[in-house]
Amino acid sequence: MSDIIQLLPDHVANQIAAGEVVQRPASVVKEMLENSIDAGASLVELLIKDAGRTLVQVIDNGAGMSATDARMSFERHATSKLRKAEDLFALSTMGFRGEALASIAAVAHIELKTKPHDAELGTQIIIEGSDIKDQSPCACEPGTSLAVKNLFFNIPARRNFLKSDNVELNHIMDEFNRIALIHPEVAFHVYNNGKQTISLPSTNLKLRIISLMGNSFQSKLVPIEQNTQNIHISGFIATPDAARRTRGDQFFFVNKRFIKHPYLHHAIDKAYSELIPQGYFPGYFISIDVDPQTIDVNIHPTKTEIKFTDDKLMYGFLTACVKRTLGINSLTPTLDFNTEQYFNVDNMPKDYIPKEPTLNLNPSYNPFSNPNPPSNRKAVGSSYSPQTAFNSEREENNAQNWNKLYEFPEQNIDQISTVTSIQSSLDLAPIDDEMHDSAIFQFNRKYIVSKIKSGILLIDQQAAHERILFEKYLQRIQNSRAVIQQTLFPQSINYSASEAELIREISKELFQLGFDIQEFGQNSFIVNGTPSDIEDGDVKQIIDGILENFKNNLISHRLDKEVNIALSMAKCASIKHGTLLSQIEMHNIIDELFACEVNEVSPSGRKTTVTIIDNQLNNLFN
Ligand code: ADP
Ligand code: MG
C-alpha cells in the first residue's frame, strides 16, 4: 500500500485551530483585547458592528509591531511571549499559544495597521482567509489597530450558527467585562454600531467595578486582602445583602486572567452560606496572584481553565479568607474573639438581623395577599381585570375549555406517579371537613385539587399562573394594552454595562408591559411607572428577574423577543409553590387557566394540570 498520510496545509490547520479558539465574535474580542493588554496599552478602543458579525476592531496605543513581526504575527505558533517550554510555567502575559491571530485570519477579513513608538512609518497588512492580499508601509498612530471583518465569511455553517445580535453582544460584553475589570489602570472605550456605549477612564479596581457592574455596588464592596509567601489575594467581596439570584457578579482572576473554576466558586459560596438565602449568590471580584509555577493555564485553548498544584489548599485558604473578611466587617452573625475588636455597628447593613439577613426580597410573596386592593390595582390572577375587552374574550374561551374538560372520560392520561401522590395526599386530612362536589382545596401549598365530573383535577399553581400571566403579558406587548401606574416616588435603579445594554434593547417591550423606565446617566435608570398589577416595592426585583430569565432564554432557546420577555416576566411575577391561596384565588386561577389559549402546559413546557378519572381511582382500590 502506498503512503497516504500528509501534513495539512497551513490554512487548513489554521481553520481547524480556529474551531477551538474562535467560536463567536466574543472570542475575537477576547483574544484581541488580551493582545492589547500584553502589548502594554494604556488606552484600548473596541469597535463593534452588527454584534461583531461585520466588524470587531481593537485599537490600542501599545508597543506596536515592526513590519516583520506584523507579518509573523499571523503565522501559527508565532508568539513573542514564549521562547522555550519552561516559559509556559512562568507566564506573565495573557497570550502565549501564538495561535489567535492565525486562527482569526483563517476565518475572516483582516486589516492590520501597526507602528512601534520609535518608528517613522507603520505597516499595513490585508488578509482574507489566511491569504495575504497586501502588505505596505503606511502612516498611522503608534500602537496597533486590528479590524476583523465578516467573521466566518468562508464557513457558512459557523456563521449561521451564531445566535441573535442580543446574544452575541451579550457574550462580547461578558468578555469585555472580564478584561476591563481586572485592568482598571487601562482606559477603555467601546463603540457599538458607531455609538459610544462605554467610556472608562484609567482608575482603581473599586471604581472600575462600580462603573461596569452598576452604582448599586457603591456601598456594598468590602476589600479583601490576604498574603502568604506564595499566595496573594486581593479585590472586593460584596456584602450579603447585595446577593443576587444569578452568578453574574462573580469574578475570579488568577494572575490577572479571568478563570472559571467551579470548585473555588464553591469555596466562596460556602463562606457566605449562613448569610444569604438559598438560591442567591454572593458577588465578588477576587484576584489571586500566585507563582506561575504553581498553576497550569494551558488546559484549553481559550485559557479560561486553570489547574493549581494544590486545589484543596486554595479552597481552604479562600474560604477562610472570605470568612475572615466578612467577620471583620461585622457582616457575619458569628462573632469570635479574634474579630470582635473590629466589630463596628456603623458597618452593619441597615435592618440587619443576625442569622436571618433581611434582604430586599420576599420569596413567599403572594400577589393575592393585599386584603384591600385599591380599585385601580388588580390582584394578579384575579379575573376582575380592568382590561374588560381582553377578559370577555377569555371568558368565552373559558366556558368552552371547561366544557371540554367535563367531556373527556376516555382521554388517555399518564399520571401514574401523580396517582401515588394524590393517594398520599388523601392520607392527610383534607382542608375542608367534607369534600363535597364543588369543593376546591390546596394541597401542600402547591396544587389546587378540584372535583370534576369524571374524577379529580390537579392543578400546579405555579405552572398554571405562569401560563395565565404569559398569555396576558404577550397580549399586552402585542396590543400595547398595559395600564401604567405612575409611581409617587420614582425609583432609581443601577445596572452593569451589559445589563443596561439589555434594558435598552428591550425597553420598548418593557414599556408595553407597563414599565415606564427612563435612562439617566451611565447605566442608571429611573422607574416612573409600573404595571398596575405589580407592587411598587418589587420593581427592582421583578426587572432583575426579567433580565435574568431573558438572558438565559436567549442563550438556551431561540425565542422570539416578545415571547421571551412575556415569558420572563410571567416567571418572575407568578405565584410560587409554597404560597397559600384562598378559595377565591384558587377559583380565579382555574377560571383564568381555562380561558387561556393553551392551558395544558406552562409557557416553559411544564404540565399545568393532571386529571385522575374515576376508573383509575377505582383501580387503585382493587
Ligand atoms: P499570543 O498572544 O498567544 O502570542 P497571538 O496570535 O494572539 O498569539 O499574537 C501573536 C503575536 O502578535 C503576539 O505574540 C504579539 O507579539 C503580536 N501581537 C498581537 N497583537 C498585538 C498588539 N495589539 N500589539 C502588539 N503586538 C501584538
Ligand atoms: Mg494573543
Side-chain angles (χ1 to χ4, degrees), residues 24 161-168 170-171 466 470 546-565 567-568 571 602-606:
R24 50 182 5 127
F161 184 73
L162 293 179
K163 300 263 168 65
S164 70
D165 280 7
N166 268 329
V167 176
E168 295 303 336
N170 225 17
H171 283 293
E466 251 176 58
F470 169 71
I546 296 176
L547 286 185
E548 182 55 20
N549 277 298
F550 183 76
K551 250 194 296 191
N552 290 343
N553 294 338
L554 277 179
I555 291 160
S556 50
H557 314 281
R558 281 179 169 233
L559 287 182
D560 174 75
K561 189 167 160 199
E562 291 179 346
V563 169
N564 186 351
I565 293 167
L567 172 60
S568 302
K571 278 199 150 175
S602 78
S604 30
R606 289 200 342 262

Side-chain angles (χ1 to χ4, degrees), residues 25 33 51 117 126 137 157 230 232 288 296 316 354 365 398 404 409 446 480 501 516-517 529 551 564 580 608 612:
L33 291 178
H117 286 246
I126 313 264
N230 302 320
H232 176 77
I288 305 176
D296 185 358
Y365 165 61
N398 180 2
K404 259 195 266 156
K446 209 168 172 189
S480 303
E501 195 57 42
D516 183 354
I517 300 178
K551 250 194 296 191
N564 186 351
L580 183 65
T608 52
I612 302 170

Side-chain angles (χ1 to χ4, degrees), residues 500-516:
E501 195 57 42
L502 262 191
I503 294 204
R504 282 177 213 119
E505 199 69 46
I506 60 172
S507 63
K508 182 171 138 240
E509 288 78 9
L510 285 176
F511 182 74
Q512 283 160 334
L513 276 174
F515 292 99
D516 183 354

Side-chain angles (χ1 to χ4, degrees), residues 303-566:
K303 301 165 287 183
T304 46
E305 283 167 44
I306 201 166
K307 235 191 120 21
F308 290 94
T309 323
D310 193 341
D311 277 353
K312 283 203 182 112
L313 176 83
M314 193 53 95
Y315 185 102
F317 188 64
L318 254 180
T319 311
C321 178
V322 173
K323 275 197 164 168
R324 183 180 157 276
T325 307
L326 290 168
I328 64 173
N329 287 283
S330 317
L331 303 168
T332 55
T334 42
L335 178 63
D336 68 35
F337 289 108
N338 291 330
T339 59
E340 189 181 25
Q341 53 190 321
Y342 296 102
F343 206 90
N344 174 358
V345 177
D346 286 342
N347 281 342
M348 301 257 276
K350 255 201 241 148
D351 26 85
Y352 174 72
I353 303 169
K355 287 278 179 204
E356 277 179 39
T358 44
L359 304 180
N360 190 15
L361 56 98
N362 178 1
S364 60
Y365 165 61
N366 179 353
F368 297 130
S369 65
N370 187 352
N372 300 311
S375 53
N376 64 341
R377 257 174 185 251
K378 180 183 141 316
V380 182
S382 115
S383 56
Y384 314 109
S385 156
Q387 295 149 321
T388 39
F390 173 47
N391 267 4
S392 55
E393 233 172 75
R394 289 163 64 89
E395 269 146 29
E396 232 171 75
N397 270 345
N398 180 2
Q400 284 167 10
N401 287 331
W402 264 114
N403 286 342
K404 259 195 266 156
L405 190 71
Y406 274 92
E407 281 165 11
F408 75 93
E410 295 314 321
Q411 224 168 322
N412 185 13
I413 308 142
D414 61 325
Q415 71 296 55
I416 300 309
S417 59
T418 339
V419 171
T420 0
S421 65
I422 187 80
Q423 191 180 18
S424 47
S425 86
L426 293 173
D427 290 344
L428 299 169
I431 287 167
D432 288 336
D433 31 356
E434 274 174 32
M435 200 176 148
H436 45 80
D437 273 5
S438 62
I440 293 184
F441 69 92
Q442 193 186 14
F443 173 63
N444 262 359
R445 297 194 175 186
K446 209 168 172 189
Y447 303 109
I448 302 167
V449 185
S450 164
K451 164 108 177 62
I452 50 169
K453 203 170 175 182
S454 47
I456 294 173
L457 171 70
L458 287 150
I459 296 177
D460 180 319
Q461 63 189 48
Q462 186 171 336
H465 200 219
E466 251 176 58
R467 163 56 63 186
I468 295 165
L469 292 181
F470 169 71
E471 293 200 1
K472 188 196 290 186
Y473 294 148
L474 194 59
Q475 284 245 2
R476 275 191 199 170
I477 295 177
Q478 289 168 344
N479 306 334
S480 303
R481 284 248 181 87
V483 179
I484 298 183
Q485 164 144 313
Q486 294 301 318
T487 44
L488 210 49
F489 303 104
Q491 264 194 57
S492 93
I493 46 179
N494 302 303
Y495 282 103
S496 67
S498 59
E499 287 167 329
E501 195 57 42
L502 262 191
I503 294 204
R504 282 177 213 119
E505 199 69 46
I506 60 172
S507 63
K508 182 171 138 240
E509 288 78 9
L510 285 176
F511 182 74
Q512 283 160 334
L513 276 174
F515 292 99
D516 183 354
I517 300 178
Q518 253 183 347
E519 185 163 4
F520 85 101
Q522 233 194 8
N523 307 332
S524 297
F525 297 83
I526 291 226
V527 184
N528 293 311
T530 55
S532 56
D533 49 9
I534 280 187
E535 306 274 331
D536 269 1
D538 302 321
V539 175
K540 167 90 168 108
Q541 202 188 333
I542 295 251
I543 296 181
D544 269 5
I546 296 176
L547 286 185
E548 182 55 20
N549 277 298
F550 183 76
K551 250 194 296 191
N552 290 343
N553 294 338
L554 277 179
I555 291 160
S556 50
H557 314 281
R558 281 179 169 233
L559 287 182
D560 174 75
K561 189 167 160 199
E562 291 179 346
V563 169
N564 186 351
I565 293 167

Side-chain angles (χ1 to χ4, degrees), residues 80-151:
S80 55
K81 304 168 193 174
L82 203 65
R83 291 271 178 267
K84 48 192 189 303
E86 297 85 79
D87 295 349
L88 257 181
F89 298 95
L91 286 171
S92 59
T93 50
M94 314 275 287
F96 57 86
R97 298 172 61 108
E99 60 186 356
L101 291 192
S103 304
I104 295 168
V107 294
H109 295 160
I110 305 276
E111 258 178 56
L112 169 76
K113 281 186 179 171
T114 184
K115 187 172 86 117
H117 286 246
D118 55 5
E120 293 263 303
L121 268 184
T123 306
Q124 168 170 298
I125 294 184
I126 313 264
I127 302 180
E128 286 179 13
S130 293
D131 279 345
I132 302 204
K133 298 280 176 195
D134 179 47
Q135 170 161 5
S136 48
C138 73
C140 59
E141 294 294 310
T144 302
S145 158
L146 185 63
V148 175
K149 299 179 178 174
N150 308 323
L151 185 64

